[in-house]
Amino acid sequence: MRARYDGLAEWYDERFVDGSETHQPGLLELLGPGSGPCLDIGCGTGRNFETIRASGRTPVGLDYSIDQLGRARSRTDGPLLHGDAGRLPFADASFGTAVTLWTSTDVDDFGAVLLEAARVLRPGGLLVAYGVHPCFNGPHVVYHEDGRRIVHPTYRLTGWHTEAPWWAEDGIRRRIGMNHVPLADYLNAVLNSGLTMERFEEPPGHDIPHAFAFRARRPTAS
């Protein structure tokens, strides 16, 4: 099946990556210092490789879009793999650290991604997830230039949305749509992963939170 982001890599980089801040707000702090390989699940064009390196780790990128991986190659000389975030091509307990960034709205089953992330982590291994805030960012939300957001009753319409009347004509959502995961479903997916939560964050940058993030670990053997 054709990846949703194929054909958009150059446009995506120009729109969201080129000229943007090196580190997304709060991400480096959630990662904390470390070492060894860090699996970037849904790495896209490699926007967050520099943050992974700044933490002391080495990025290993995985994405379903060959086009996106082509752009990511310019940002690393390390491993890049074509694969499905819901069926990771790695053995159990392969990594000490994994991240999945801005993927909850782009995959069909975010819970499956978290389960796979937990599976490939070693006992005590770290997962950082960072992405769309389920309450204030989605097909139910209208943005205004003065910072206001209007939330429509369609918040409870879960699943894949191919359009919303207020999406910008030249925006990413008009191009690929998005999977809406309400907050309760998101948190239950986190709990069902079996990971031990360490911290939840609403990263800075907007008065009304734009993003939602957490830090968790695979439990060690009792």
Side-chain angles (χ1 to χ4, degrees), residues 4 105-108 158-162 173 176-180:
R4 294 183 176 112
T105 53
D106 289 333
V107 296
D108 292 326
T158 63
W160 199 263
H161 293 249
T162 57
R173 296 308 165 195
I176 67 166
M178 72 183 300
N179 186 32
H180 175 50

Side-chain angles (χ1 to χ4, degrees), residues 110-186:
F110 185 55
V113 175
L114 296 182
L115 285 168
E116 280 292 274
R119 179 184 66 79
V120 302
L121 283 174
R122 301 185 188 108
L126 172 70
L127 173 68
V128 170
Y130 187 119
V132 165
H133 197 299
C135 298
F136 307 115
N137 191 345
H140 56 291
V141 176
V142 183
Y143 291 75
H144 290 273
E145 292 183 359
D146 62 4
R148 289 180 299 136
R149 299 189 194 181
I150 297 176
V151 179
H152 286 256
T154 51
Y155 170 78
R156 294 190 182 279
L157 293 180
T158 63
W160 199 263
H161 293 249
T162 57
E163 61 179 37
W166 34 81
W167 283 347
E169 289 295 335
D170 62 343
I172 188 66
R173 296 308 165 195
R174 283 281 186 188
R175 294 168 185 260
I176 67 166
M178 72 183 300
N179 186 32
H180 175 50
V181 183
L183 181 61
D185 291 353
Y186 186 107

